[in-house]
Amino acid sequence: MEKITIINTGGTFNKDYQLDGTLKVRNDNKIIKKIVKKVFRENKKNIKIKGILYKDSLEITTDDREKLFNLINEDANSKIIIVHGTDTITETAEYLSSKKINKEIIITGSMVPFKINKIEAVGNLMAAYGALKTNDFKEIHICINGIVESFKKIVKDKDKNRFVEEK
């Protein structure tokens, strides 16, 4: 069975509530490991988890995206899920799309931290996994809010606080 790598870059998906009332990105993969262990069950043996950056996506730079690209290229698996912050998810998808990557990639994230409400984060990660297992993507896709679509066809609607398919 083909293995999938999940690369964690941070983002709201991974934020923890701090005592001072702020949210801070965790500097580890504990949340993703917990989801994989509890939800993926027997499929967990076919998943490899890696972490890089651990940043809010507004802090991700071109150099960070290049590090992500290098990690993707070095990975032995041909199917990759990237957990990313939602503010610059499309910018990262566009950057990676401009590179020569011979892998299937879905980027996902969450508008609400897993620690505050588990449903969105788990749902998006599960949907990304299912889409990657059952489709053959030729370009980078984003999986969020019930949508799995080319990064070129999905936008963040800040007024509605969700992602929508661009018309």
CSV table of all heavy atoms in Angstrom, one decimal, residues 16-48:
chain,number,residue,atom,x,y,z
A,16,ASP,N,-2.3,26.7,20.2
A,16,ASP,CA,-2.7,26.5,21.6
A,16,ASP,C,-3.1,27.8,22.2
A,16,ASP,O,-2.5,28.8,21.9
A,16,ASP,CB,-1.6,25.9,22.4
A,16,ASP,CG,-1.6,24.4,22.5
A,16,ASP,OD1,-2.7,23.8,22.2
A,16,ASP,OD2,-0.6,23.8,22.8
A,17,TYR,N,-4.1,27.7,23.1
A,17,TYR,CA,-4.5,28.9,23.8
A,17,TYR,C,-3.5,29.1,25.0
A,17,TYR,O,-3.2,28.2,25.7
A,17,TYR,CB,-5.9,28.7,24.4
A,17,TYR,CG,-6.5,29.9,25.1
A,17,TYR,CD1,-7.0,31.0,24.4
A,17,TYR,CD2,-6.5,29.9,26.5
A,17,TYR,CE1,-7.5,32.1,25.0
A,17,TYR,CE2,-7.0,31.1,27.1
A,17,TYR,CZ,-7.5,32.1,26.4
A,17,TYR,OH,-8.0,33.2,27.1
A,18,GLN,N,-3.0,30.3,25.1
A,18,GLN,CA,-2.0,30.6,26.1
A,18,GLN,C,-2.7,31.3,27.3
A,18,GLN,O,-3.7,31.9,27.1
A,18,GLN,CB,-0.9,31.6,25.5
A,18,GLN,CG,-0.2,31.0,24.3
A,18,GLN,CD,0.6,29.7,24.6
A,18,GLN,OE1,1.4,29.7,25.4
A,18,GLN,NE2,0.2,28.6,23.9
A,19,LEU,N,-2.0,31.3,28.4
A,19,LEU,CA,-2.6,31.9,29.6
A,19,LEU,C,-2.9,33.4,29.5
A,19,LEU,O,-3.7,34.0,30.1
A,19,LEU,CB,-1.7,31.6,30.8
A,19,LEU,CG,-1.6,30.2,31.3
A,19,LEU,CD1,-0.7,30.0,32.4
A,19,LEU,CD2,-3.0,29.7,31.7
A,20,ASP,N,-2.1,34.1,28.6
A,20,ASP,CA,-2.3,35.5,28.4
A,20,ASP,C,-3.4,35.8,27.4
A,20,ASP,O,-3.6,37.0,27.1
A,20,ASP,CB,-1.0,36.2,28.0
A,20,ASP,CG,-0.5,35.7,26.6
A,20,ASP,OD1,-1.1,34.9,26.0
A,20,ASP,OD2,0.6,36.2,26.2
A,21,GLY,N,-4.1,34.8,27.0
A,21,GLY,CA,-5.2,35.0,26.1
A,21,GLY,C,-4.9,34.9,24.6
A,21,GLY,O,-5.7,35.1,23.7
A,22,THR,N,-3.6,34.7,24.3
A,22,THR,CA,-3.2,34.6,22.9
A,22,THR,C,-3.2,33.2,22.4
A,22,THR,O,-3.2,32.3,23.2
A,22,THR,CB,-1.8,35.2,22.7
A,22,THR,OG1,-0.9,34.5,23.4
A,22,THR,CG2,-1.8,36.7,23.1
A,23,LEU,N,-3.1,33.0,21.1
A,23,LEU,CA,-2.9,31.7,20.5
A,23,LEU,C,-1.5,31.6,19.9
A,23,LEU,O,-1.0,32.5,19.3
A,23,LEU,CB,-3.9,31.5,19.4
A,23,LEU,CG,-5.4,31.4,19.8
A,23,LEU,CD1,-6.3,31.5,18.6
A,23,LEU,CD2,-5.6,30.1,20.6
A,24,LYS,N,-0.9,30.5,20.2
A,24,LYS,CA,0.5,30.3,19.7
A,24,LYS,C,0.6,29.0,19.0
A,24,LYS,O,0.1,28.0,19.5
A,24,LYS,CB,1.4,30.3,20.9
A,24,LYS,CG,2.9,30.2,20.6
A,24,LYS,CD,3.8,30.2,21.8
A,24,LYS,CE,5.2,30.0,21.4
A,24,LYS,NZ,6.1,29.8,22.6
A,25,VAL,N,1.3,29.0,17.9
A,25,VAL,CA,1.6,27.7,17.1
A,25,VAL,C,2.5,26.8,17.9
A,25,VAL,O,3.5,27.2,18.4
A,25,VAL,CB,2.2,28.0,15.7
A,25,VAL,CG1,2.5,26.8,15.0
A,25,VAL,CG2,1.3,28.9,14.9
A,26,ARG,N,2.0,25.6,18.0
A,26,ARG,CA,2.8,24.5,18.7
A,26,ARG,C,4.1,24.3,17.9
A,26,ARG,O,4.0,24.2,16.6
A,26,ARG,CB,2.0,23.3,18.9
A,26,ARG,CG,0.9,23.4,19.8
A,26,ARG,CD,0.1,22.0,19.9
A,26,ARG,NE,1.0,21.0,20.4
A,26,ARG,CZ,1.0,20.7,21.7
A,26,ARG,NH1,0.2,21.3,22.6
A,26,ARG,NH2,1.8,19.7,22.2
A,27,ASN,N,5.2,24.0,18.5
A,27,ASN,CA,6.4,23.7,17.9
A,27,ASN,C,6.7,22.1,17.9
A,27,ASN,O,7.7,21.7,18.2
A,27,ASN,CB,7.6,24.4,18.6
A,27,ASN,CG,8.8,24.4,17.7
A,27,ASN,OD1,8.8,24.2,16.5
A,27,ASN,ND2,10.0,24.6,18.4
A,28,ASP,N,5.6,21.4,17.5
A,28,ASP,CA,5.7,19.9,17.5
A,28,ASP,C,4.6,19.4,16.6
A,28,ASP,O,3.8,20.1,16.0
A,28,ASP,CB,5.6,19.3,18.9
A,28,ASP,CG,4.4,19.7,19.6
A,28,ASP,OD1,3.3,19.7,19.0
A,28,ASP,OD2,4.4,20.0,20.8
A,29,ASN,N,4.5,18.0,16.5
A,29,ASN,CA,3.5,17.4,15.7
A,29,ASN,C,2.5,16.6,16.5
A,29,ASN,O,1.8,15.7,16.0
A,29,ASN,CB,4.2,16.4,14.7
A,29,ASN,CG,5.2,17.1,13.8
A,29,ASN,OD1,4.9,18.1,13.2
A,29,ASN,ND2,6.4,16.6,13.6
A,30,LYS,N,2.4,16.9,17.8
A,30,LYS,CA,1.5,16.2,18.7
A,30,LYS,C,0.1,16.1,18.2
A,30,LYS,O,-0.6,15.1,18.4
A,30,LYS,CB,1.6,16.7,20.1
A,30,LYS,CG,2.9,16.4,20.8
A,30,LYS,CD,3.0,16.9,22.2
A,30,LYS,CE,4.3,16.6,22.9
A,30,LYS,NZ,4.4,17.1,24.2
A,31,ILE,N,-0.5,17.2,17.8
A,31,ILE,CA,-1.9,17.3,17.4
A,31,ILE,C,-2.1,16.3,16.2
A,31,ILE,O,-3.0,15.5,16.2
A,31,ILE,CB,-2.3,18.7,17.0
A,31,ILE,CG1,-2.4,19.5,18.3
A,31,ILE,CG2,-3.7,18.7,16.3
A,31,ILE,CD1,-2.6,21.0,18.1
A,32,ILE,N,-1.2,16.4,15.2
A,32,ILE,CA,-1.4,15.5,14.0
A,32,ILE,C,-1.2,14.1,14.4
A,32,ILE,O,-2.0,13.2,14.0
A,32,ILE,CB,-0.5,15.9,12.9
A,32,ILE,CG1,-0.9,17.3,12.4
A,32,ILE,CG2,-0.5,14.9,11.7
A,32,ILE,CD1,0.0,18.0,11.4
A,33,LYS,N,-0.2,13.8,15.2
A,33,LYS,CA,0.0,12.4,15.7
A,33,LYS,C,-1.2,11.9,16.5
A,33,LYS,O,-1.6,10.7,16.3
A,33,LYS,CB,1.2,12.3,16.6
A,33,LYS,CG,2.5,12.5,15.8
A,33,LYS,CD,3.7,12.4,16.8
A,33,LYS,CE,5.0,12.5,16.0
A,33,LYS,NZ,6.2,12.5,16.9
A,34,LYS,N,-1.9,12.7,17.3
A,34,LYS,CA,-3.0,12.3,18.0
A,34,LYS,C,-4.2,12.0,17.0
A,34,LYS,O,-4.9,11.0,17.2
A,34,LYS,CB,-3.5,13.5,19.0
A,34,LYS,CG,-4.7,13.2,19.8
A,34,LYS,CD,-5.0,14.3,20.8
A,34,LYS,CE,-6.1,13.9,21.7
A,34,LYS,NZ,-6.4,15.0,22.7
A,35,ILE,N,-4.4,12.8,16.0
A,35,ILE,CA,-5.5,12.6,15.1
A,35,ILE,C,-5.2,11.3,14.3
A,35,ILE,O,-6.1,10.4,14.2
A,35,ILE,CB,-5.6,13.8,14.1
A,35,ILE,CG1,-6.1,15.0,14.8
A,35,ILE,CG2,-6.5,13.4,12.9
A,35,ILE,CD1,-6.0,16.3,13.9
A,36,VAL,N,-4.0,11.1,13.9
A,36,VAL,CA,-3.6,9.9,13.1
A,36,VAL,C,-3.8,8.7,14.0
A,36,VAL,O,-4.4,7.7,13.5
A,36,VAL,CB,-2.2,10.0,12.6
A,36,VAL,CG1,-1.7,8.6,12.0
A,36,VAL,CG2,-2.1,11.0,11.5
A,37,LYS,N,-3.4,8.7,15.2
A,37,LYS,CA,-3.5,7.6,16.1
A,37,LYS,C,-5.0,7.2,16.4
A,37,LYS,O,-5.4,6.1,16.3
A,37,LYS,CB,-2.8,7.8,17.4
A,37,LYS,CG,-2.9,6.7,18.4
A,37,LYS,CD,-2.2,7.0,19.7
A,37,LYS,CE,-2.3,5.9,20.7
A,37,LYS,NZ,-1.7,6.2,22.0
A,38,LYS,N,-5.8,8.2,16.7
A,38,LYS,CA,-7.2,8.0,17.1
A,38,LYS,C,-8.2,7.8,15.9
A,38,LYS,O,-9.1,7.0,16.0
A,38,LYS,CB,-7.7,9.1,18.0
A,38,LYS,CG,-7.0,9.1,19.3
A,38,LYS,CD,-7.8,9.9,20.3
A,38,LYS,CE,-7.2,9.9,21.7
A,38,LYS,NZ,-7.7,8.8,22.5
A,39,VAL,N,-7.9,8.5,14.8
A,39,VAL,CA,-8.9,8.5,13.7
A,39,VAL,C,-8.5,7.6,12.6
A,39,VAL,O,-9.3,6.9,12.0
A,39,VAL,CB,-9.2,9.9,13.2
A,39,VAL,CG1,-10.2,9.9,12.1
A,39,VAL,CG2,-9.6,10.8,14.4
A,40,PHE,N,-7.2,7.6,12.2
A,40,PHE,CA,-6.8,6.8,11.1
A,40,PHE,C,-6.6,5.3,11.4
A,40,PHE,O,-6.6,4.5,10.5
A,40,PHE,CB,-5.4,7.3,10.5
A,40,PHE,CG,-5.6,8.6,9.8
A,40,PHE,CD1,-5.7,9.8,10.4
A,40,PHE,CD2,-5.5,8.6,8.4
A,40,PHE,CE1,-5.9,11.0,9.7
A,40,PHE,CE2,-5.7,9.8,7.7
A,40,PHE,CZ,-5.8,11.0,8.4
A,41,ARG,N,-6.5,5.0,12.6
A,41,ARG,CA,-6.5,3.6,13.1
A,41,ARG,C,-5.5,2.7,12.3
A,41,ARG,O,-4.3,2.9,12.4
A,41,ARG,CB,-7.9,3.0,13.2
A,41,ARG,CG,-8.8,3.8,14.1
A,41,ARG,CD,-10.1,3.3,14.1
A,41,ARG,NE,-10.9,4.2,14.8
A,41,ARG,CZ,-12.0,3.9,15.6
A,41,ARG,NH1,-12.3,2.7,15.8
A,41,ARG,NH2,-12.6,4.9,16.2
A,42,GLU,N,-6.0,1.7,11.6
A,42,GLU,CA,-5.1,0.8,10.9
A,42,GLU,C,-4.3,1.5,9.8
A,42,GLU,O,-3.2,1.0,9.4
A,42,GLU,CB,-5.9,-0.4,10.3
A,42,GLU,CG,-6.3,-1.4,11.4
A,42,GLU,CD,-5.2,-1.9,12.3
A,42,GLU,OE1,-4.1,-2.3,11.7
A,42,GLU,OE2,-5.3,-1.8,13.5
A,43,ASN,N,-4.9,2.6,9.2
A,43,ASN,CA,-4.2,3.3,8.2
A,43,ASN,C,-3.0,4.0,8.6
A,43,ASN,O,-2.1,4.5,7.9
A,43,ASN,CB,-5.1,4.2,7.5
A,43,ASN,CG,-6.2,3.5,6.7
A,43,ASN,OD1,-5.9,2.5,6.1
A,43,ASN,ND2,-7.4,4.0,6.8
A,44,LYS,N,-2.8,4.2,10.0
A,44,LYS,CA,-1.7,5.0,10.5
A,44,LYS,C,-0.4,4.4,10.1
A,44,LYS,O,0.6,5.2,10.0
A,44,LYS,CB,-1.9,5.2,12.0
A,44,LYS,CG,-1.6,3.9,12.8
A,44,LYS,CD,-1.9,4.2,14.3
A,44,LYS,CE,-1.8,2.9,15.1
A,44,LYS,NZ,-2.3,3.0,16.4
A,45,LYS,N,-0.3,3.1,9.9
A,45,LYS,CA,1.0,2.5,9.5
A,45,LYS,C,1.5,3.0,8.1
A,45,LYS,O,2.6,2.8,7.8
A,45,LYS,CB,1.0,1.0,9.7
A,45,LYS,CG,0.0,0.3,8.7
A,45,LYS,CD,-0.1,-1.2,9.0
A,45,LYS,CE,-1.1,-1.8,8.1
A,45,LYS,NZ,-2.3,-2.2,8.8
A,46,ASN,N,0.6,3.5,7.4
A,46,ASN,CA,0.9,4.0,6.0
A,46,ASN,C,1.1,5.5,6.0
A,46,ASN,O,1.1,6.1,4.9
A,46,ASN,CB,-0.2,3.6,5.1
A,46,ASN,CG,-0.4,2.1,5.0
A,46,ASN,OD1,0.6,1.4,4.8
A,46,ASN,ND2,-1.6,1.6,5.1
A,47,ILE,N,1.2,6.1,7.1
A,47,ILE,CA,1.4,7.6,7.2
A,47,ILE,C,2.7,7.9,7.9
A,47,ILE,O,3.0,7.4,9.0
A,47,ILE,CB,0.2,8.2,8.0
A,47,ILE,CG1,-1.1,8.0,7.2
A,47,ILE,CG2,0.4,9.7,8.2
A,47,ILE,CD1,-2.3,8.4,8.0
A,48,LYS,N,3.5,8.8,7.3
A,48,LYS,CA,4.7,9.4,7.9
A,48,LYS,C,4.4,10.8,8.2
A,48,LYS,O,3.9,11.5,7.4
A,48,LYS,CB,5.8,9.2,6.9
A,48,LYS,CG,7.2,9.7,7.4
A,48,LYS,CD,8.4,9.4,6.5
A,48,LYS,CE,8.1,9.6,5.1
A,48,LYS,NZ,9.3,9.4,4.2
